[in-house]
Amino acid sequence: MTIHKIIAVAALSIVTVAGAAHAADKLVVGFSQIGSESGWRAAETKVAKIEAGKRGIELKISDAQQKEENQIKAVRAFIAQGVDAIFIAPVVATGWEQVLKEARDAKVPVILLDRGIDVKDASLYLTVVRSDAVYEGEAAGDWLAKATSGKPCNVVELQGTVGASVAIDRKKGFEKAVAEHPSLKIIRTQSGDFTRAKGKEVMESFIKAENGGKNICAMYAHNDDMAIGAIQAIKEAGLKPGKDIMVVSIDGVPDIFKAMSEGDANVTVELTPNMAGPAFDALIALKKDGKAPPKWIKTETKLYQPDTAKAEYERRKELY
Ligand code: AHR
C-alpha cells in the first residue's frame, strides 16, 4: 500500500453498523453513501441498515458529503480493509473507471445503488439496483398532460444534482412526455441539487422572473424535497400550491404525502428506498451459489395521487 493510500484510509470516517467482529462466515459490505441531501436518502440509509441486520451482514457506511472524491477514497479504504463487497450510490455518473478497476483487481464485487454510471466496460460492476428514472419523468409528464386536459401549461423544472444519472434521466423522461403533449411547455429549468433549501431558492427566482408566478401553471421537481421547498416559495409569493401552481415530483417521502393530503401537492412518483435489500440478496446468491445477478435489478415505480395521501403518510412516517 502506498503512503497516499494509508493516509486516505486513516482519514475516512466509516461507521460500522452490525457487529464489530468480522466472523469468517459473516459477509462484510462497505457502502459509500452520497450524503443526506433528502428525506429519501436518509430513508435509503436507514433501510440499508435494517436489511443488513436481517441478513446478519456487517455494513460499514461512509458518508461522502456529496463529493465523488470522498466516494473514491471510501472505495479505496474498503478495498484495503478486505470487505466482501462494496456498494456505491454514485453521486455523479462519470469518473469511476480507475477506482472500479482497482476493486476488480482486488476481486471485490461492486454493486451500484439507486444511480447509474457511464463506463465503457460494464464488467467493472456486478449489477445496479435502481428504478427506470426516464420512466419516472415520463410518468410525471403524462400525468400532468392528462390533469391539465390538453390546456396550455407552462412548466418550471427543478433538476437534481448536475451530472447525476437520475437528474439526467428524469429530465429526459419528462421531455419525452412534453414532446408527446404539445400543451406542456418547459419555460424554465435549473438545478436545485435535490435539497429543500435549494428548491425553495430556485423556485423563488422562477416566480420573480415569471410575473410573480402568474405565468407558471406547474412545477416539476426531480425529487420531493425540492418540491417541498418550492411549495414554501409559492406560499410566500401569495399563491396556492397545488392549485395556482400544480406540484409534481418524484420519491414518495412522507412529507410530500402530508402536502398532498393538505392540497399543496398533486402527484408523486414513488422511488423505493429499499435498494440495499435486493443488492444483499444478489451478493449472497453470488457468494453461496456463484450465481451472477442480472446487470440491472429494476425496482418498481408507482404513481400516487391525493386520494390515498393521508393513509400513505400515516404508513410511511413510521417507516422513514
Ligand atoms: O438517486 C435517488 C435520488 O437521490 C432521490 O430521488 C433523491 O431524493 C436523492 O437525493
Side-chain angles (χ1 to χ4, degrees):
M1 191 188 286
T2 63
I3 288 176
H4 163 80
K5 280 184 185 167
I6 292 167
I7 292 168
V9 170
L12 273 169
S13 81
I14 291 168
V15 181
T16 296
V17 174
H22 180 177
D25 58 345
K26 188 175 194 176
L27 286 176
V28 179
V29 174
F31 176 20
S32 170
Q33 177 58 294
I34 292 173
S36 48
E37 73 280 3
S38 66
W40 185 91
R41 183 68 53 201
E44 185 194 41
T45 304
K46 187 173 171 186
V47 173
K49 291 176 188 173
I50 294 169
E51 295 296 318
K54 278 185 199 166
R55 294 164 179 82
I57 290 172
E58 184 180 330
L59 185 65
K60 293 164 179 275
I61 302 178
S62 176
D63 179 342
Q65 300 184 346
Q66 310 298 317
K67 292 200 176 88
E68 185 181 33
E69 65 194 77
N70 289 345
Q71 295 205 282
I72 290 171
K73 280 183 197 159
V75 171
R76 290 192 171 128
F78 289 140
I79 296 170
Q81 290 165 23
V83 297
D84 296 299
I86 297 172
F87 291 180
I88 309 172
V91 61
V92 291
T94 55
W96 293 99
E97 270 90 356
Q98 177 55 37
V99 77
L100 292 186
K101 276 181 193 153
E102 291 169 31
R104 187 173 61 187
D105 291 349
K107 299 200 178 359
V108 182
V110 170
I111 299 184
L112 307 174
L113 301 190
D114 77 81
R115 296 186 185 180
I117 57 171
D118 294 337
V119 283
K120 286 201 187 86
D121 180 359
S123 74
L124 287 172
Y125 61 91
L126 179 66
T127 183
V128 57
V129 184
R130 68 181 172 105
S131 63
D132 182 343
V134 175
Y135 175 72
E136 291 168 344
E138 202 181 346
D142 283 345
W143 182 89
L144 184 60
K146 277 196 201 100
T148 48
S149 322
K151 290 196 196 98
C153 181
N154 285 342
V155 185
V156 293
E157 179 187 32
L158 290 171
Q159 295 180 42
T161 301
V162 176
S165 70
V166 277
I168 296 164
D169 290 349
R170 287 171 181 170
K171 180 161 184 53
K172 199 188 284 171
F174 193 81
E175 283 171 349
K176 208 168 154 211
V178 168
E180 279 160 21
H181 304 284
S183 58
L184 302 180
K185 188 175 168 200
I186 302 172
I187 55 168
R188 290 192 183 261
T189 179
Q190 200 179 313
S191 172
D193 219 6
F194 281 130
T195 69
R196 283 185 196 206
K198 240 352 207 6
K200 179 169 187 274
E201 191 186 308
V202 177
M203 190 65 196
E204 282 167 353
S205 72
F206 286 164
I207 290 172
K208 210 167 160 200
E210 294 298 340
N211 192 21
K214 291 187 187 73
N215 295 344
I216 306 170
C217 151
M219 187 280 312
Y220 163 55
H222 290 190
N223 82 342
D224 290 342
D225 277 71
M226 290 189 294
I228 290 158
I231 287 171
Q232 194 56 36
I234 296 168
K235 284 184 176 169
E236 285 173 18
L239 297 170
K240 173 88 188 79
K243 261 196 174 158
D244 297 329
I245 298 180
M246 296 178 81
V247 173
V248 177
S249 57
I250 297 170
D251 269 357
V253 300
D255 284 354
I256 204 71
F257 285 105
K258 190 164 184 290
M260 269 202 275
S261 70
E262 289 164 359
D264 291 343
N266 304 86
V267 80
T268 186
V269 181
E270 183 188 36
L271 173 70
T272 175
N274 185 11
M275 299 285 158
F280 288 134
D281 289 343
L283 179 66
I284 290 167
L286 179 78
K287 295 280 178 189
K288 295 227 162 100
D289 312 318
K291 198 171 162 260
K295 210 67 207 177
W296 179 3
I297 301 175
K298 206 189 279 189
T299 60
E300 267 182 48
T301 299
K302 201 171 162 194
L303 188 138
Y304 288 89
Q305 300 182 70
D307 55 339
T308 57
K310 201 166 181 308
E312 286 299 329
Y313 172 66
E314 293 302 327
R315 192 171 68 84
R316 282 157 203 262
K317 72 176 192 211
E318 306 302 328
L319 292 174
Y320 279 69

